[in-house]
Amino acid sequence: MTLSRRLAGAALGLALALGSSPPLGAQEAPHGHPQAESKQAPRGPEGRRLPPDSVTQQSVTLPDGRSLAFTATAGSLPLVDESGKLQAEIAYVAYTMAPEAGRTRPVTFAVNGGPGAASAYLNIGAIGPWRLPTGTDSISPSQAVALTPNDGTWLDFTDLVFIDPVGTGYSRAADGNGKAYWSVDSDASTLAAAIARYLRINDRMAAPKFFVGESYGGFRGPLIAEKLQEEIGVGLSGMVLLSPVLDFGWLETPRANPWGYVLKLPSLAAGALERKGTVPTPALLGEAEAYASGPYLTDLLKGPSDAAAVARMTDKVAPLVGLDAALVRAQAARLSTRSVQREIDRAEGRVASAYDTGITGWDPNPDAAQSSFEDPQLTALQAPLTSAMLDLYARTLKWPVPNMRYELLSNAVNHGWSWGSGRQAPEVLSNLKGALALDGRLRVLVAHGFTDLVTPYFASKLLLAQVPAYANGRLNLAVYPGGHMFYTRPDSRAAFHRDVARLFADALKARDRGAAPGGGQDTP
């Protein structure tokens, strides 16, 4: 048995270890004082490097005038083997509110992607109580990092627990070597164990449980749901998969395979609409989707040597994506992401983000035949997000970690990731179908931005169409103006909040009903 398989099996039992430990954050700071000194929880097993957990009382006043008072916990979940030996420390931030009388608050676990990304993107970018404002069409790494109350926070309808996988944020393997955790299966097993441990030591097993994952975090979702359901004994009421990859085989196709061009064409068309001042909508992109999966695919299969096919595609694609016909013809209507990033605003000497073509930055080599440039969104966000998280940890959450580097986006994790030794690229559509089939109450929302070229929405739309009818009404796709991180746009953030709140309300109603909706059987 390989080390990664041994770890995957052992991780499932980690959540059961130290079950008699006192709840994290049993001692709380004085109520209502964001900067109050916190008291700290017991340390647990020997060998921990991270500080004791810090618990503070916080409050935010949202732009609409509502005030949310909540408990914030910053700390780590120690994962141990059956002998009690520390294996890893999983850093997390939790925001919890007192429930209304007679009701149980849901708890949502949030994980980002990469692999190698910490949960800061979801925490202070999307759904936490505070948000880091960033530029709408250009991002400055040296911008101010003060956080503001988040008008899109989910804290008004669910408690939130942001988890950093091993090697990201402050999460580390106890022996300093995290590579055994950096594989598809071991990672999902470890995160499932961390979720189960949090539920046990905080007495939340009876609470409704949800998951949100962004990008590769969305890929993780069905795997974690499956492990929680079948191996640990925890059921999720709902999942939100934000800009996910559901099948890497669809996005990382061989060079001669035309499928990647088909999947990106509607997103390129959405970017062209935005540049004309039109907000993309599903109705406006219907023609692009129909062309991409119909005549465009047919002509792509004829090959670049078919001059008539190239001419037909050029005549259609050039105006659809808003690029010069000569460029489209030169690439035989097979537009590479890198070339599109540069050509969108080449006249101004700027390059577009692959994550959101509406965000641009200066081209460092505008006169060169080929230019090497950093992504104007992903790379530009690294400094402000990192600084903002460090400030949040130290000043507000009272959990400074002075002798350890905070890893917002770890190249070591990303480059060291093991994707398995099978002949097929990893996918989780089958896991998602299995989770929905097993639990007739489970609800899932897949959310994308129109102008994302990294995980294009059209891929998920076509894949979700392959799920059988038993998931009708429980599996939905929502697409918003913006890109991979569409929640940086106020209108998209508000619409996303509304859609997710509705999913939670429907899931909780289904949980409370006696019969499982949409298929599935209740246990006798």
Side-chain angles (χ1 to χ4, degrees), residues 416-431:
W417 199 259
S418 174
W419 296 97
S421 58
R423 296 176 62 87
Q424 292 184 325
E427 58 85 22
V428 293
L429 183 67
S430 59
N431 306 85

Side-chain angles (χ1 to χ4, degrees), residues 288-356:
E289 293 178 6
Y291 172 69
S293 58
Y296 183 52
L297 176 59
T298 300
D299 277 340
L300 286 172
L301 291 172
K302 296 180 185 300
S305 62
D306 189 318
V310 171
R312 285 193 299 270
M313 289 187 291
T314 298
D315 290 343
K316 183 70 175 182
V317 170
L320 192 64
V321 303
L323 294 177
D324 182 71
L327 171 72
V328 175
R329 187 180 301 107
Q331 295 190 27
R334 294 157 170 80
L335 297 172
S336 72
T337 298
R338 194 74 173 175
S339 68
V340 169
Q341 286 181 260
R342 200 173 186 212
E343 294 298 330
I344 280 176
D345 205 9
R346 185 162 188 165
E348 299 296 326
R350 298 179 70 82
V351 293
S353 169
Y355 292 84
D356 185 345

Side-chain angles (χ1 to χ4, degrees), residues 28-36 54-62 66-74 93-99 105 123-124 127-131 147-150 153-162 198 204 392 396-397:
E28 296 184 355
H31 179 75
H33 197 309
Q35 301 303 324
S54 172
V55 183
T56 57
Q57 298 298 326
Q58 307 285 347
S59 65
V60 294
T61 300
L62 301 180
R66 289 179 299 146
S67 181
L68 301 178
F70 58 95
T71 299
T73 303
V93 174
Y95 306 117
T96 61
M97 291 179 62
R105 289 268 296 176
N123 188 346
I124 61 174
I127 66 173
W130 297 286
R131 185 177 65 84
L147 300 180
T148 64
N150 183 9
T153 185
W154 295 5
L155 190 56
D156 54 349
F157 56 80
T158 179
D159 292 340
L160 297 166
V161 183
F162 298 90
Y198 179 89
R204 300 301 301 273
L392 176 66
T396 303
L397 303 181

Side-chain angles (χ1 to χ4, degrees), residues 143-431:
Q143 70 164 71
V145 296
L147 300 180
T148 64
N150 183 9
D151 54 0
T153 185
W154 295 5
L155 190 56
D156 54 349
F157 56 80
T158 179
D159 292 340
L160 297 166
V161 183
F162 298 90
I163 298 176
D164 293 336
V166 172
T168 73
Y170 289 125
S171 297
R172 297 291 188 273
D175 63 2
N177 180 13
K179 190 167 178 58
Y181 296 83
W182 300 343
S183 70
V184 172
D185 194 64
S186 295
D187 168 77
S189 293
T190 302
L191 290 171
I195 289 170
R197 177 165 176 79
Y198 179 89
L199 292 169
R200 286 178 60 84
I201 64 178
N202 289 282
D203 194 23
R204 300 301 301 273
M205 278 294 182
K209 294 164 279 287
F210 293 80
F211 175 88
V212 56
E214 180 178 7
S215 196
Y216 185 78
F219 179 87
R220 286 171 162 134
L223 295 173
I224 291 172
E226 185 178 75
K227 290 181 182 297
L228 287 172
Q229 280 179 343
E230 301 177 14
E231 300 177 14
I232 292 181
V234 170
L236 296 177
S237 293
M239 289 192 292
V240 178
L241 311 181
L242 197 163
S243 301
V245 178
L246 298 177
D247 188 337
F248 277 94
W250 278 40
L251 298 186
E252 297 180 0
T253 56
R255 293 185 181 183
N257 189 328
W259 200 231
Y261 305 117
V262 170
L263 299 179
K264 291 177 184 177
L265 189 66
S267 291
L268 293 174
L273 287 175
E274 284 198 341
R275 292 192 296 277
K276 294 177 181 177
T278 301
V279 177
T281 66
L284 290 175
L285 289 168
E287 180 185 354
E289 293 178 6
Y291 172 69
S293 58
Y296 183 52
L297 176 59
T298 300
D299 277 340
L300 286 172
L301 291 172
K302 296 180 185 300
S305 62
D306 189 318
V310 171
R312 285 193 299 270
M313 289 187 291
T314 298
D315 290 343
K316 183 70 175 182
V317 170
L320 192 64
V321 303
L323 294 177
D324 182 71
L327 171 72
V328 175
R329 187 180 301 107
Q331 295 190 27
R334 294 157 170 80
L335 297 172
S336 72
T337 298
R338 194 74 173 175
S339 68
V340 169
Q341 286 181 260
R342 200 173 186 212
E343 294 298 330
I344 280 176
D345 205 9
R346 185 162 188 165
E348 299 296 326
R350 298 179 70 82
V351 293
S353 169
Y355 292 84
D356 185 345
T357 56
I359 294 176
T360 65
W362 295 112
D363 187 341
N365 303 292
D367 300 322
Q370 293 182 337
S371 179
S372 175
F373 51 86
E374 300 292 343
D375 190 88
Q377 183 177 43
L378 184 69
T379 310
L381 279 174
Q382 182 129 355
L385 274 179
T386 299
S387 296
M389 278 302 301
L390 292 175
D391 186 67
L392 176 66
Y393 273 129
R395 291 203 305 135
T396 303
L397 303 181
K398 302 300 180 184
W399 198 66
V401 186
N403 297 320
M404 189 178 293
R405 174 173 169 157
Y406 176 80
E407 296 283 357
L408 176 72
L409 190 58
S410 170
N411 286 328
V413 174
N414 191 271
H415 296 161
W417 199 259
S418 174
W419 296 97
S421 58
R423 296 176 62 87
Q424 292 184 325
E427 58 85 22
V428 293
L429 183 67
S430 59
N431 306 85

